[in-house]
Amino acid sequence: MAKKKTNSDSTLKQSKTDIAVGVLGSGSFATAIVKMLVENCKTVHWCVRNEFVKGAIELRGHNPTYLTAVNFNLKNLKLTTDINEMVTACDIVVLATPSIYLSDSMDKMNCEYGDKVFVSAIKGIIPKVNNIVAHYLKDEFKIGFRNQAVIAGPCHAEEVAMERLSYLTVATVEEENSKKLLEILSSDFIKVSASKDILGNEYSAILKNIFAIGAGIASGLGYGDNFTAVFVSNAIREMETFLEAIYEAPRDVNESAYLGDLLVTAYSLFSRNRNLGNLIGKGYTVKSAIQSMNMVAEGYYAADSIYKTAQEKDLKLPIIETIYGILYEGKNAEKQFRKLTAKLN
């Protein structure tokens, strides 16, 4: 039997915070994050791609392209196409564009932003600088780690849209920022935990996309669940090896921000990276597989950077090496996975 809502429950639901927060991006995950935030914030500032998207949301109350079933109360939204307008109005700015487009937006930012907190919900490498968002913000905009946070964890936008229970991890070194982010993101269907491992959370979110491409290739080639289980088991060990080489920290890769996100991205039919790999496994060329998708598969762009970093640090990562070879060296997927099977255990 469903639990009845009490008066205190209703009061709690109606009590929204005045924390000024904005979201950059109008894709599926950006839309899902806006949905999370309107649960708790009186106003969410939303900087979308162009005037068409802005006008469509203002007219119909939903994103015209992504998660179209999510309807917003327009009283809770302040829409703009101007990043400076959004950043100026906010204390917390959530970056939720695909990584390949972030620099296009950030290069237009010329307002004061020194006291703002920038939260990355981007799980990819910034091509312009060939680096993760945390370093991009620090090097290009002098935004230190104390003014940064990372959203990680297994949280597909499609399930957020359906209000299926999902779990996020917010990584930030500042306790006050952590409290604010937990307050504005938590809801009946979003559970949020805190972490201080900014770099580990961001790199793990990037790595799992590459591994998910591999899981998809295996599926397309006809490998079964038994192989995929072994593949993922090896993948989490490769992730741990890479993270320790990049940034040693007290972390447990079995936590949901690491292993949980890897599992859902490797197995879920909502996973665009898995779907990209599946097409490649079925015989599509890499180029045609990418062109057939209407969303960005971050793992493709990340594989190049991660592979080269691993080579520089002399890391032995057979899964990463295999996927890089298929994506960037034109190697045959079936032959490469046959070789890979001998290296897994």
Side-chain angles (χ1 to χ4, degrees):
M1 184 180 294
K3 180 183 175 184
K4 285 187 176 181
K5 287 187 177 180
T6 65
N7 289 335
S8 60
D9 291 333
S10 300
T11 302
L12 184 63
K13 195 68 176 176
Q14 292 168 4
S15 178
K16 294 193 175 186
T17 181
D18 286 317
I19 294 173
V21 60
V23 177
L24 175 67
S26 48
S28 58
F29 199 40
T31 305
I33 289 173
V34 173
K35 177 177 171 59
M36 296 177 205
L37 294 172
V38 296
E39 293 283 315
N40 302 306
C41 302
K42 291 179 180 177
T43 302
V44 177
H45 299 262
W46 191 1
C47 184
V48 297
R49 183 181 302 116
N50 53 45
E51 289 294 336
F52 168 76
V53 175
K54 178 176 178 288
I57 297 172
E58 289 174 336
L59 179 65
R60 301 184 180 91
H62 64 79
N63 189 322
T65 309
Y66 301 99
L67 304 188
T68 55
V70 176
N71 290 299
F72 295 102
N73 184 341
L74 295 176
K75 293 180 180 179
N76 297 131
L77 298 180
K78 182 148 182 74
L79 290 149
T80 183
T81 59
D82 183 351
I83 187 173
N84 291 293
E85 179 182 337
M86 189 259 294
V87 171
T88 299
C90 298
D91 299 318
I92 297 173
V93 177
V94 181
L95 306 175
T97 68
S99 62
I100 59 174
Y101 303 132
L102 180 63
S103 60
D104 292 342
S105 297
M106 294 293 287
D107 285 346
K108 298 172 185 174
M109 188 173 68
N110 52 33
C111 60
E112 291 294 327
Y113 56 82
D115 60 341
K116 314 294 183 179
V117 176
F118 286 81
V119 184
S120 174
I122 298 169
K123 301 183 177 184
I125 297 290
I126 310 301
K128 180 180 178 180
V129 294
N130 195 33
N131 216 330
I132 62 173
V133 176
H135 289 312
Y136 170 70
L137 294 178
K138 185 172 182 293
D139 296 342
E140 300 293 316
F141 297 92
K142 310 307 177 188
I143 300 169
F145 290 151
R146 292 190 177 280
N147 284 79
Q148 289 193 40
V150 170
I151 292 175
C155 196
H156 278 311
E158 294 81 0
E159 293 201 356
V160 173
M162 293 182 279
E163 298 191 0
R164 290 182 173 175
L165 183 60
S166 302
Y167 291 73
L168 288 180
T169 298
V170 173
T172 179
V173 296
E174 282 293 322
E175 189 68 28
E176 188 60 32
N177 292 339
S178 181
K179 288 178 181 177
K180 287 180 180 179
L181 290 167
L182 264 63
E183 179 183 352
I184 63 178
L185 290 168
S186 300
S187 69
D188 291 341
F189 58 93
I190 302 292
K191 306 300 180 187
V192 188
S193 58
S195 169
K196 292 186 182 297
D197 185 18
I198 291 179
L199 295 180
N201 274 268
E202 184 164 8
Y203 269 114
S204 68
I206 292 167
L207 287 160
K208 57 90 180 178
N209 284 331
I210 304 171
F211 295 135
I213 290 176
I217 292 173
S219 175
L221 288 171
Y223 288 88
D225 293 342
N226 292 340
F227 174 81
T228 303
V230 173
F231 177 90
V232 172
S233 172
N234 281 261
I236 192 63
R237 282 175 266 162
E238 285 197 18
M239 180 184 291
E240 185 171 31
T241 298
F242 186 91
L243 294 181
E244 288 302 306
I246 290 294
Y247 174 64
E248 288 188 16
R251 67 171 67 91
D252 181 357
V253 295
N254 294 313
E255 291 179 352
S256 62
Y258 311 94
L259 178 58
D261 203 6
L262 170 61
L263 288 171
V264 76
T265 313
Y267 282 100
S268 175
L269 297 180
F270 289 131
S271 169
R272 63 194 71 173
N273 290 282
R274 185 187 190 280
N275 290 337
L276 174 65
N278 191 48
L279 291 172
I280 295 169
K282 287 181 176 178
Y284 282 66
T285 65
V286 174
K287 183 178 180 180
S288 62
I290 292 171
Q291 290 176 338
S292 70
M293 300 181 66
N294 66 347
M295 293 190 288
V296 175
E298 296 279 18
Y300 169 76
Y301 301 96
D304 181 50
S305 177
I306 295 297
Y307 170 80
K308 289 174 180 174
T309 300
Q311 292 294 105
E312 289 169 4
K313 294 187 173 294
D314 197 28
L315 302 177
K316 303 302 179 186
L317 305 175
I319 295 176
I320 294 292
E321 292 164 10
T322 298
I323 296 168
Y324 175 83
I326 294 168
L327 295 182
Y328 286 94
E329 296 178 334
K331 293 183 178 179
N332 179 270
E334 185 176 3
K335 290 180 180 178
Q336 292 308 302
F337 262 72
R338 197 178 302 130
K339 293 177 181 177
L340 180 64
T341 59
K343 300 176 184 177
L344 303 183
N345 57 66

